[in-house]
Amino acid sequence: MFCLNYETRYGDFKTRETIKPASVMDFIQDIATRHSEEVGYGMNKLKEMGIAWLMQGIKIHFDSPVKTFTTVSASTAVKNMKGVISERGTFISQDEKIVAKAVTAWFMLDTNRMRPIRIPAEIAEKYDTYEFDEFFSYKKPELLEAEKKYSIVVRNREIDTNNHLNNQKSAEILMDALPFDFDFTDMNVFYKKAAYLGDELEVCSLEMENGYYVHLQNNQKEIYVAGVFTKG
């Protein structure tokens, strides 16, 4: 597996004792990007080839809160690459104990035609695969009707290298709609449609039996990203 250590910063803190789940997602997104750089097919190489990885969805389970002032160790590997989709597993550890695990699903995009394409064999062969357990299979959450709470506008700081709303930033927008004291143990976020700088989106939420469903939609009720946050 590919491994990196991260130091938690004050900006990651939710309380004096724990860091924000969005910061954990940032580590998960970052290590995937750096793993691709390590095997020789990082973002600049892919740009030359006219292709890019885009996240389709992410599921995270927290075994325990991720602590402040404690090094975070992340380890990741590819589970499979089939057709246009790749699934990747990631473990987050502190003090040599796993505190969270995640599965991410990515698809490969032809950036000239803006269509998904089959993952090239020359790229797939660069990644060793790892045998993960059944948790590490991504299934998108059900998209639901939800009540509009407020609107947001996509800002400069939320745009990524693909020139659209960053995956982690959009998930953080969903989390902002949750009660501050709701400490979920599981999250599942699905990316349906890209949002761009200046887009105005409605934040809609629905309280569920053991958590919350939240999505971003435009004024035509087209859903861009949706997430389910539950406490086990």
Side-chain angles (χ1 to χ4, degrees), residues 17 50 58-59 64 78-79 91 152 175 189:
E17 293 79 28
I58 180 169
K59 178 176 68 172
S64 60
V78 168
K79 177 186 176 184
F91 294 104
I152 59 100
M175 294 180 213
V189 176

Side-chain angles (χ1 to χ4, degrees), residues 71-122:
T71 300
V72 171
S73 299
S75 54
T76 191
V78 168
K79 177 186 176 184
N80 56 52
M81 288 190 178
K82 297 179 181 178
V84 304
I85 300 291
S86 174
E87 288 183 312
R88 171 186 290 274
T90 305
F91 294 104
I92 300 295
S93 303
Q94 287 187 314
D95 298 327
E96 300 184 354
K97 177 184 176 183
I98 294 174
V99 294
K101 58 185 179 181
V103 56
T104 50
W106 305 78
F107 69 92
M108 184 143 278
L109 182 76
D110 181 322
T111 55
N112 295 313
R113 296 186 301 162
M114 297 305 291
R115 294 179 181 176
I117 62 164
R118 181 176 293 273
I119 300 165
E122 66 182 273

Side-chain angles (χ1 to χ4, degrees), residues 54 107 109 111 114 152-156 158-166 170 173 192-201 216 224:
L54 271 68
F107 69 92
L109 182 76
T111 55
M114 297 305 291
I152 59 100
V153 176
V154 179
R155 299 166 294 181
N156 291 8
E158 296 160 341
I159 299 301
D160 65 13
T161 54
N162 292 316
N163 294 316
H164 57 56
L165 177 61
N166 178 266
S170 58
I173 292 170
K192 188 172 187 292
K193 182 180 175 70
Y196 297 91
L197 183 64
D199 283 354
E200 183 172 341
L201 300 175
L216 303 181
Y224 285 63

Side-chain angles (χ1 to χ4, degrees), residues 171-187:
E172 193 167 30
I173 292 170
L174 299 184
M175 294 180 213
D176 283 343
L178 304 175
F180 184 78
D181 59 355
F182 178 67
D183 296 318
F184 56 87
T185 57
D186 294 270
M187 59 175 277

